[in-house]
Amino acid sequence: MKTRPALLLSLCLFVLPAVAQEEIRVGVELQPYQPYSDVQGGEYRGYARELLDAFAAEYGYQFVYTPLPVRRLLSDFLAGRVDLKFPDHPQWNADQKAGHAVRYSRPAAPYIDGVLVKPQYLGQGKQRIALLGTQNGFTPWPYLAEIQAGHIKLIQANQIESLLMMAASDRVDAVYLNPRVVTHQLHQMRLAPDTLVFDPQLAHVEDHYYLSSIRHPELIEAFDRFLEQRAELVAALRLRHGL
């Protein structure tokens, strides 16, 4: 017996996960952070966009990207106004997330956060750092004890460009940022790539960004499968974006 087209369509819709038939709101950071992400002309771009688009295409999800300032992104995520959050990390804002069943994916993007200085200060240790610059929303975890004790003063700015200019003109002694992001930003500013350099001898963090959700843990499970089953695609994306 032949299956009628209308019946076949109904069966297909029935077996698709309900979440695949609705728009999924993905909360992302508004700030420029290439090669990981950026927002230009209202459009979300970069490695994160390509990775999440590939995942959505594989599983039939309809993603709508919502770029937000870092603090607003967290509050909208906890309030359920966005379904997914990227980037995220279990350590970030743990006190504010308490009581929320946040589900985190497998590692989705590698990163290093550390101290960058002018070349002439390379290898001179943290004792010369009295003023440390970083971006609003960042926590320089390896230096938190010194900051809280008053040995290091933390200077924060909204724009990475401002921080780099402060370091280049000695208004801060160093900046705590992602070296890959700094390299990209120096190129955009038409400055020499060695204007500021990463000091690997100073304490730094090597970790990963994660995709997270409160409302859709099953979607995080699907993303984990995607990362495992499409590992070659993910590796190619990282290579193309210098990650």
Side-chain angles (χ1 to χ4, degrees):
M1 182 178 69
K2 293 184 178 179
T3 304
R4 295 179 182 177
L7 178 59
L8 181 60
L9 177 61
S10 298
L11 289 172
C12 291
L13 291 175
F14 178 76
V15 298
L16 280 175
V19 71
Q21 301 171 41
E22 64 184 49
E23 287 187 345
I24 303 299
R25 295 163 296 175
V26 185
V28 297
E29 294 182 354
L30 181 60
Q31 64 186 6
Y33 210 67
Q34 287 283 24
Y36 296 93
S37 65
D38 197 0
V39 179
Q40 295 185 12
E43 182 182 358
Y44 186 56
R45 304 174 60 180
Y47 165 80
R49 173 65 187 264
E50 291 188 27
L51 176 68
L52 294 172
D53 274 358
F55 166 54
E58 184 95 357
Y59 282 81
Y61 296 124
Q62 300 180 49
F63 283 175
V64 176
Y65 297 96
T66 305
L68 296 165
V70 173
R71 292 179 182 176
R72 169 76 183 280
L73 173 56
L74 176 63
S75 63
D76 277 20
F77 176 64
L78 296 179
R81 288 188 286 271
V82 295
D83 302 297
L84 298 175
K85 181 180 183 294
F86 190 86
D88 207 348
H89 192 285
Q91 193 177 15
W92 297 352
N93 306 110
D95 54 341
Q96 293 173 262
K97 292 174 180 175
H100 296 272
V102 182
R103 177 70 177 269
Y104 297 93
S105 72
R106 293 184 177 188
Y111 76 87
I112 296 175
D113 284 343
V115 172
L116 293 101
V117 297
K118 294 172 72 171
Q120 60 264 39
Y121 302 135
L122 194 64
Q124 293 188 12
K126 69 177 179 181
Q127 61 270 13
R128 64 163 293 275
I129 302 176
L131 297 177
L132 180 64
T134 195
Q135 196 168 16
N136 273 328
F138 267 53
T139 301
W141 298 104
Y143 304 92
L144 203 53
E146 286 93 340
I147 292 168
Q148 292 174 341
H151 302 312
I152 294 177
K153 183 178 180 181
L154 188 64
I155 308 296
Q156 294 181 299
N158 287 325
Q159 302 297 326
I160 292 177
E161 181 177 346
S162 301
L163 290 166
L164 302 188
M165 292 303 298
M166 291 170 68
S169 59
D170 291 314
R171 285 179 286 162
V172 296
D173 301 312
V175 291
Y176 184 85
L177 293 167
N178 184 310
R180 290 188 180 96
V181 175
V182 170
T183 297
H184 185 275
Q185 188 62 45
L186 289 172
H187 177 74
Q188 294 296 107
M189 296 166 66
R190 300 180 185 276
L191 294 176
D194 63 348
T195 299
L196 295 172
V197 293
F198 172 58
D199 191 336
Q201 296 181 26
L202 292 173
H204 56 279
V205 173
E206 295 188 44
D207 208 331
H208 292 81
Y209 299 128
Y210 300 82
L211 180 68
S212 66
S213 183
I214 297 172
R215 302 183 64 205
H216 295 295
E218 75 285 353
L219 207 152
I220 298 300
E221 291 179 9
F223 185 61
D224 286 346
R225 289 195 300 272
F226 170 79
L227 291 176
E228 181 179 7
Q229 296 172 0
R230 302 288 281 166
E232 290 187 5
L233 169 63
V234 175
L237 287 175
R238 291 181 183 179
L239 182 63
R240 184 160 75 244
H241 289 276
L243 300 177

